[in-house]
Amino acid sequence: WKALHKEIDLLKSMAKLTASYYGIVEQNALPSNPNEVPPLPRTMSEITSDSYLLLSDLTSNFSKPCAIDIKIGRQSYEPGASDEKKQRETAKYPSQYEQGFRIVGARIFDSDHPDSDPDGFRQLDKHFGRALGSRDSVKDALRTFFTSHCHAAVYNESIATRSRRAMSSQSLASLTSVDQPQPKDTMLRTRTLSNILQQLRAFQRWFEDNKCLAFYSSSIFIVYEGDPNSSNKDLSNVKMIDFGHVVRQAGGDPGYLYGVKRLSNMLTEVLETGNDCKNR
């Protein structure tokens, strides 16, 4: 009973790491109007193979959501998987055991990029992530994801904000003048990265406390505001998604914990590099 009680408490604390849960719905019962609330099953007997968890939209509070799906863990198959599945999953990304995670997909707001869609987003699919064989290439991909591509006036405005106390109003106006030519520039989102690293620490603490559950083929979903002109430009969110392969496992999930630590270490290195460049 003590072990079960501890598992229940552990799952309750996990709610902070996941999207808000609204219930279970049938796929064919979803309303055509997105603002309409779908009907929920009244009893457990109404839950079928066509039922789905209804979770909150993690991108709804962002005007230009930059999002990345990162599959966490040293393997993406359960311990009891067949040899065929083990080989198939390992072949998707042979470096996953060493890296501890892989990038499944990403969307970056960069309206001037030639590969951007009509809404201004670049889409990076699973093949992009699988091609990142070395640690440096993974870190470069993460740096790219957390880099905003903006006009110089926007970039300089962020610098000016940090330096406002040390500058006269006249020099500040000349720095941010929109009458000057506006070339494209890049800016590492250091404040956003700091916020995300703080959120990842909660994941690390949870998996350090977890001694009974393992999450295979589960992901961490990261989203931040890609519009540097937004009043919420520092807004970010980190949540766990995909729970289709969770098993009870003595000792918890060292592979997931390893992946979270590796991801945090890489993001810390990206942040420190950005701070070094900013302070030169």
Side-chain angles (χ1 to χ4, degrees):
W1 168 250
K2 288 183 178 179
L4 180 60
H5 185 71
K6 186 172 183 179
E7 183 177 314
I8 292 172
D9 289 341
L10 189 68
L11 289 172
K12 286 181 178 179
S13 66
M14 179 187 167
K16 298 178 182 179
L17 308 180
T18 62
S20 298
Y21 168 73
Y22 295 114
I24 299 174
V25 297
E26 295 289 330
Q27 178 67 26
N28 57 11
L30 293 177
S32 56
N33 183 355
N35 296 319
E36 183 181 342
V37 178
L40 303 180
R42 291 169 294 181
T43 65
M44 289 296 292
S45 63
E46 295 183 20
I47 298 176
T48 70
S49 59
D50 292 325
S51 300
Y52 294 85
L53 298 179
L54 181 61
L55 304 176
S56 63
D57 180 0
L58 297 176
T59 67
S60 61
N61 294 325
F62 300 83
S63 65
K64 302 294 183 183
C66 294
I68 188 168
D69 181 336
I70 303 176
K71 195 171 292 294
I72 303 290
R74 306 188 81 167
Q75 65 186 57
S76 56
Y77 53 85
E78 308 96 315
S82 65
D83 290 340
E84 180 183 358
K85 183 174 182 179
K86 290 179 180 179
Q87 293 172 4
R88 185 171 66 249
E89 290 296 315
T90 301
K92 289 180 180 179
Y93 190 56
S95 300
Q96 182 145 352
Y97 186 82
E98 177 187 355
Q99 304 295 354
F101 65 89
R102 79 171 185 259
I103 296 174
V104 178
R107 188 172 83 154
I108 309 169
F109 181 64
D110 182 6
S111 57
D112 287 346
H113 195 280
D115 294 332
S116 294
D117 62 24
D119 294 323
F121 289 94
R122 290 176 59 196
Q123 308 285 347
L124 305 178
D125 63 14
K126 61 185 179 182
H127 300 291
F128 169 83
R130 292 177 185 179
L132 304 173
S134 68
R135 188 180 190 279
D136 286 342
S137 64
V138 176
K139 189 167 70 172
D140 287 343
L142 293 171
R143 182 183 293 108
T144 297
F145 175 71
F146 286 106
T147 298
S148 282
H149 300 265
C150 53
H151 290 290
V154 175
Y155 177 76
N156 288 337
E157 185 176 2
S158 67
I159 298 175
T161 301
R162 294 193 298 267
S163 308
R164 189 179 299 275
R165 293 181 182 178
M167 300 175 64
S168 68
S169 59
Q170 181 177 0
S171 61
L172 178 63
S174 64
L175 179 63
T176 60
S177 173
V178 295
D179 295 329
Q180 301 297 323
Q182 304 301 316
K184 290 287 284 186
D185 214 327
T186 59
M187 176 177 60
L188 184 68
R189 301 293 294 272
T190 54
R191 186 174 298 179
T192 298
L193 260 175
S194 296
N195 292 340
I196 287 169
L197 281 167
Q198 183 175 358
Q199 294 177 67
L200 283 174
R201 292 188 194 104
F203 284 79
Q204 182 171 331
R205 288 192 297 269
W206 193 92
F207 277 92
E208 287 172 344
D209 292 338
N210 166 42
K211 304 300 180 185
C212 57
L213 298 172
F215 295 73
Y216 294 100
S217 198
S218 181
S219 292
I220 283 180
F221 185 82
I222 300 175
V223 57
Y224 73 89
E225 179 55 67
D227 182 3
N229 292 316
S230 171
S231 58
N232 294 323
K233 64 182 179 181
D234 295 322
L235 184 65
S236 63
N237 204 355
V238 181
K239 296 294 182 183
M240 185 189 298
I241 61 173
D242 298 337
F243 316 103
H245 304 275
V246 181
V247 298
R248 286 189 173 92
Q249 181 171 284
D253 195 340
Y256 200 110
L257 180 58
Y258 173 87
V260 172
K261 288 181 176 179
R262 290 275 293 189
L263 176 61
S264 296
N265 288 341
M266 283 194 199
L267 292 179
T268 298
E269 292 174 15
V270 171
L271 176 62
E272 290 173 346
T273 302
N275 287 332
D276 288 344
C277 293
K278 184 171 63 177
N279 293 328
R280 286 175 185 172

